[in-house]
């Protein structure tokens, strides 16, 4: 089961890197080109500022999305994920503003060893049922180990 969690982690992490780094580099190159054209008097200041702002915003969003994966990297490498048992007390809908818009459903679990509630990124959990699972603390990626009755 642990290998499934590791594969899920690396698949998501690499996908984000493959998407975010080239787009950020491309936006920075466009910004640099616009600034060079502005310096030569070929372009207006508006496009230079707009391209620079887009590059900075996308870079910040990329870092924000990658940060939990970077924080979980040592946990994955050292096999220090969290094993817990919990009852699914609800389902949280997470809406994205993509085109087309999508909705992700994440289970909200109340852990058996306390009053803590955790929202996990895992499929196959039903509300009102108890599960034993492993998850990563920052990305909340999880794999079900056992469905309890």
């Amino acid at each position: 089961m642990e290998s499934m969690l590791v594969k899920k982690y690396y698949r998501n992490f690499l996908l984000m890197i493959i998407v975010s780094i080239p787009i950020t580099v491309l936006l920075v190159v466009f910004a640099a080109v616009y600034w060079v054209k502005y310096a030569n008097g070929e372009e207006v200041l508006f496009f230079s500022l707009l391209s620079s702002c887009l590059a900075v915003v996308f870079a910040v969003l990329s870092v924000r999305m990658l940060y939990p994966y970077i924080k979980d990297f040592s946990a994955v490498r050292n096999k220090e994920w969290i094993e817990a048992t919990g009852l699914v007390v609800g389902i949280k809908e997470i809406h994205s503003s993509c085109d087309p818009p999508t909705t992700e459903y994440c289970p909200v679990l109340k852990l058996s060893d306390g009053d803590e509630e955790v929202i996990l990124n895992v499929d196959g959990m039903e509300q009102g049922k108890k599960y034993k699972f492993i998850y990563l603390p920052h990305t909340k990626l999880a794999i079900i180990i056992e469905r309890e009755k």
Side-chain angles (χ1 to χ4, degrees):
M1 288 294 173
E2 290 88 4
S3 65
M4 290 174 60
L5 181 63
V6 172
K7 285 179 187 177
K8 187 176 183 179
Y9 169 81
Y10 282 120
R11 183 189 64 220
N12 291 355
F13 189 33
L14 289 175
L15 180 65
M16 282 193 197
I17 288 174
I18 288 170
V19 170
S20 65
I21 290 177
I23 292 174
T24 302
V25 168
L26 188 66
L27 288 171
V28 168
V29 168
F30 277 130
V33 167
Y34 275 116
W35 279 107
V36 168
K37 285 183 177 184
Y38 172 70
N40 292 335
E42 301 171 20
E43 203 61 62
V44 294
L45 180 62
F46 173 75
F47 293 115
S48 302
L49 291 174
L50 179 66
S51 60
S52 297
C53 288
L54 285 174
V56 168
V57 167
F58 193 82
V60 168
L61 290 175
S62 296
V63 168
R64 187 169 181 241
M65 287 174 32
L66 286 169
Y67 186 68
Y69 287 90
I70 294 167
K71 287 182 77 173
D72 275 344
F73 185 75
S74 63
V76 170
R77 191 179 59 220
N78 298 327
K79 299 181 179 182
E80 295 174 346
W81 36 76
I82 300 169
E83 186 172 325
T85 303
L87 177 70
V88 179
V89 294
I91 304 292
K92 181 175 181 176
E93 292 183 16
I94 300 173
H95 301 282
S96 71
S97 58
C98 302
D99 188 27
T102 58
T103 303
E104 185 179 355
Y105 299 94
C106 296
V108 179
L109 290 106
K110 183 171 183 171
L111 301 181
S112 298
D113 58 350
D115 290 336
E116 183 181 0
E117 288 188 356
V118 178
I119 300 170
L120 297 178
N121 184 350
V122 63
D123 295 326
M125 289 188 169
E126 298 175 28
Q127 191 166 350
K129 296 201 174 180
K130 198 170 191 179
Y131 297 91
K132 185 174 184 181
F133 53 91
I134 55 174
Y135 73 98
L136 296 171
H138 302 287
T139 57
K140 304 300 185 194
L141 292 173
I143 297 292
I144 300 169
I145 295 176
E146 180 182 330
R147 288 165 171 69
E148 297 186 1
K149 298 179 182 177

